[in-house]
């Protein structure tokens, strides 16, 4: 019983020394976010502490026409002093299967030097009349055609 009284005494002593403090008065009401990339007005913006990416983009006057927002989470709450980079859509030139060099054809996914040579040899005999005709080249099937069809032209 004495031990219990001693423990109780120390618990009361410790509890009486500490006071709870409301930390909300010390929380920042705003945050700074740097916005750069394909944006109308790049810069550092002071926004509400819980502003989403969408709110920040509105403050920066929106994205440019060539902005790639497909990977952005518009509801994300970024931490203070973050950097938000808006990427640009990269336009790639199409490769002509009727006039491209072997090196250009070799840059296509799945097409190596051997298949590039076969494409050039095929078109020397008969130029391609349609994109699907490239599947007649040995080594190019439906799967490879699906990978390259948006990267080639006649």
């Amino acid at each position: 019983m004495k031990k219990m009284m001693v423990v109780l005494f120390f618990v009361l002593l410790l509890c009486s020394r500490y006071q709870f403090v409301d930390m909300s008065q010390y929380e920042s009401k705003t945050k700074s976010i740097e916005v750069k990339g394909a944006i109308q007005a790049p810069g550092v913006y002071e926004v509400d502490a819980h502003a989403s990416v969408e709110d920040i983009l509105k403050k920066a006057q929106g994205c440019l026409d060539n902005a790639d927002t497909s990977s952005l989470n518009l509801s994300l709450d970024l931490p203070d002093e973050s950097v938000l980079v808006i990427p640009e859509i990269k336009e790639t030139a199409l490769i002509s299967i009727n006039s491209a060099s072997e090196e250009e054809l070799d840059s296509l996914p799945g097409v190596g030097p051997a298949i590039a040579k076969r494409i050039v040899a095929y078109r020397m005999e008969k130029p391609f009349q349609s994109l699907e005709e490239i599947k007649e080249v040995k080594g190019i099937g439906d799967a490879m055609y699906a990978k390259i069809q948006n990267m080639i032209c006649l």
Side-chain angles (χ1 to χ4, degrees), residues 46-153:
E46 194 77 20
V47 294
D48 180 62
H50 299 290
S52 65
V53 169
E54 184 175 23
D55 299 332
I56 296 164
L57 291 177
K58 285 179 186 173
K59 190 131 186 177
Q61 301 173 11
C63 296
L64 297 175
D65 292 337
N66 64 339
D68 181 10
T69 58
S70 62
S71 63
L72 289 180
N73 179 352
L74 297 177
S75 64
L76 187 65
D77 182 3
L78 296 174
D80 189 21
E81 299 179 353
S82 292
V83 177
L84 176 60
V85 179
I86 309 301
E88 293 182 27
I89 296 172
K90 301 218 185 318
E91 292 186 28
T92 56
L94 296 177
I95 296 175
S96 170
I97 57 176
N98 278 326
S99 62
S101 68
E102 286 183 27
E103 291 80 23
E104 290 172 314
L105 293 167
D106 186 19
S107 70
L108 293 168
V111 175
I115 294 178
K117 284 183 186 199
R118 287 187 217 135
I119 293 171
V120 171
Y122 183 95
R123 76 175 183 217
M124 295 299 254
E125 292 178 25
K126 174 184 156 201
F128 293 100
Q129 300 297 314
S130 69
L131 293 180
E132 292 83 19
E133 196 175 331
I134 198 168
K135 292 192 284 187
E136 294 178 18
V137 174
K138 183 181 176 192
I140 300 179
D142 291 333
M144 186 182 297
Y145 177 72
K147 285 184 202 174
I148 66 172
Q149 69 181 354
N150 295 327
M151 301 174 177
I152 59 174
C153 66

